[in-house]
Amino acid sequence: MTAAIVTEGLTKRYGRVLAVDGLDLEVHEGDLFGFLGPNGSGKTSTVRMLLGLVFATSGRIELLGRPMPAAARAALASVGALVEGPAFYPHLSGRANLAAMDQAGPGGPRRDRRRRIDEALERVGLADVGRRPVKAYSSGMRQRLGLAAALLRSPRLLVLDEPTNGLDPQGTREVRDLLAELVRGGSTVFLSSHLLAEVEMICSRTAIVHQGRLVAQARVAELLAPTGRVLVATPDTGSAAELAATMPGLRIDERRDDGLLVHLDGLQPEALNQRLVEGGVRVRELVAERPTLEDVFLRLTREARGAPG
């Protein structure tokens, strides 16, 4: 599978501060890739190194198969980016700002500039206010305009740092839907965020960093795989516990007022349900336990700190 982003041993120091520590990333083409970490974990420093905005202390970076920053001019022609809070000329309209940005580098032909600006504004919900000066924009509108700038040239790779900052719930959902649409259309999205629910909902793969170090990199579905435990909801907790204690391949982990949490070691959930019902236990619900991304994130970062579970 072709890689859109590769880093090997990527390290960044600011004086005595080690911001990024030997980071190895691999983002495949077509990924909607979530880059997760708490504030101060090195996410923005990593994004800046990927885009050639700051130099790495050591390590290697490739964007779309080209070395960075040596081949930055060629690589970045196919990359759209939104890093932290976007900056604009406040006295100019949103449309004029996008035109100025498009003129600033190679790859933005004048002949279709108006059409591309119209399309970008439409995609981010700013078509009706494109002629309004940016100084009259709310913070959420400025964030949308920054995303429009990243989309101007139909990039193969989109690198976004907290793109939903300042957006209301409706705007956040629209951006999520837009990113999913872009990936379906063949783009790759690298989404740096601290919003766990956002990444869990839309990302196919993710990396989690803590204090500049990589602590996990996998498909989101793998991280959220069932734990092997099943929640049995029943009003007959006592009877269920007595019956479960006689079953091989099962361990009761927790007894609750409304049921049991059991660990299955060889016994299938449907077999457990059948035996409980045959034993006269009224089973309201039987659900395989799955962690949330928040559960996984907190466990991995706690382990990275060396804190007890």
Side-chain angles (χ1 to χ4, degrees):
M1 188 174 292
T2 307
I5 299 174
V6 174
T7 72
E8 292 181 355
L10 187 62
T11 300
K12 179 62 180 177
R13 289 183 178 274
Y14 297 98
R16 295 183 178 181
V17 177
L18 181 59
V20 180
D21 186 5
L23 194 61
D24 296 334
L25 292 176
E26 185 171 349
V27 180
H28 304 148
E29 287 208 53
D31 273 349
L32 207 172
F33 190 94
F35 188 48
L36 277 173
N39 292 332
S41 60
K43 299 192 306 298
T44 297
S45 291
T46 299
V47 168
R48 288 180 172 276
M49 287 188 285
L50 292 178
L51 298 172
L53 298 175
V54 298
F55 292 135
T57 304
S58 60
R60 186 176 74 87
I61 303 171
E62 281 189 7
L63 283 190
L64 301 172
R66 299 178 183 272
M68 288 290 292
R73 185 179 179 86
L76 294 179
S78 300
V79 177
L82 173 60
V83 183
E84 297 183 303
F88 301 102
Y89 296 108
H91 61 288
L92 296 181
S93 68
R95 179 178 297 278
N97 268 280
L98 293 183
M101 291 179 177
D102 197 51
Q103 295 172 42
R110 183 175 181 178
R111 64 180 179 277
D112 64 350
R113 182 171 294 144
R114 183 187 296 272
R115 175 186 61 78
R116 290 186 290 107
I117 290 174
D118 287 343
E119 289 177 355
L121 289 172
E122 180 69 34
R123 296 186 89 171
V124 301
L126 293 179
D128 294 336
V129 295
R131 299 189 183 280
R132 186 182 301 177
V134 169
K135 63 184 177 182
Y137 281 20
S138 67
S139 60
M141 292 167 68
R142 290 173 186 244
Q143 194 74 3
R144 288 172 182 259
L145 188 60
L147 187 54
L151 295 172
L152 262 181
R153 300 180 184 179
S154 301
R156 286 173 57 195
L157 171 63
L158 201 58
V159 178
L160 305 175
D161 187 19
E162 307 285 0
T164 57
N165 272 356
L167 298 182
D168 60 21
Q170 178 65 29
T172 298
R173 183 170 186 172
E174 289 172 1
V175 169
R176 287 201 307 262
D177 291 344
L178 174 58
L179 298 184
E181 176 190 330
L182 290 168
V183 169
R184 287 194 297 269
S187 296
T188 303
V189 176
F190 182 89
L191 172 64
S192 175
S193 179
H194 69 280
L195 300 177
L196 298 164
E198 181 175 80
V199 171
E200 182 172 346
M201 276 191 281
I202 64 172
C203 291
S204 53
R205 296 179 66 244
T206 187
I208 298 174
V209 290
H210 179 69
Q211 294 180 345
R213 294 184 178 181
L214 183 70
V215 296
Q217 182 171 211
R219 295 189 61 81
V220 172
E222 293 174 9
L223 294 175
L224 304 184
T227 64
R229 302 201 300 180
V230 170
L231 175 63
V232 181
T234 173
D236 306 321
T237 302
S239 300
E242 290 176 7
L243 190 56
T246 67
M247 298 181 192
L250 180 149
R251 182 184 72 243
I252 300 174
D253 282 355
E254 187 178 339
R255 181 169 171 168
R256 305 174 178 176
D257 291 340
D258 59 350
L260 303 174
L261 185 62
V262 300
H263 186 276
L264 301 183
D265 185 13
L267 185 67
Q268 295 300 310
E270 55 270 27
L272 169 63
N273 183 65
Q274 180 181 353
R275 292 171 72 172
L276 288 172
V277 171
E278 289 174 349
V281 175
R282 294 170 293 173
V283 178
R284 290 175 175 163
E285 190 175 31
L286 192 145
V287 180
E289 182 187 57
R290 292 177 180 268
T292 65
L293 193 55
E294 180 179 10
D295 296 330
V296 174
F297 178 86
L298 293 174
R299 174 176 59 80
L300 291 172
T301 53
R302 183 172 59 243
E303 292 171 357
R305 293 195 306 268

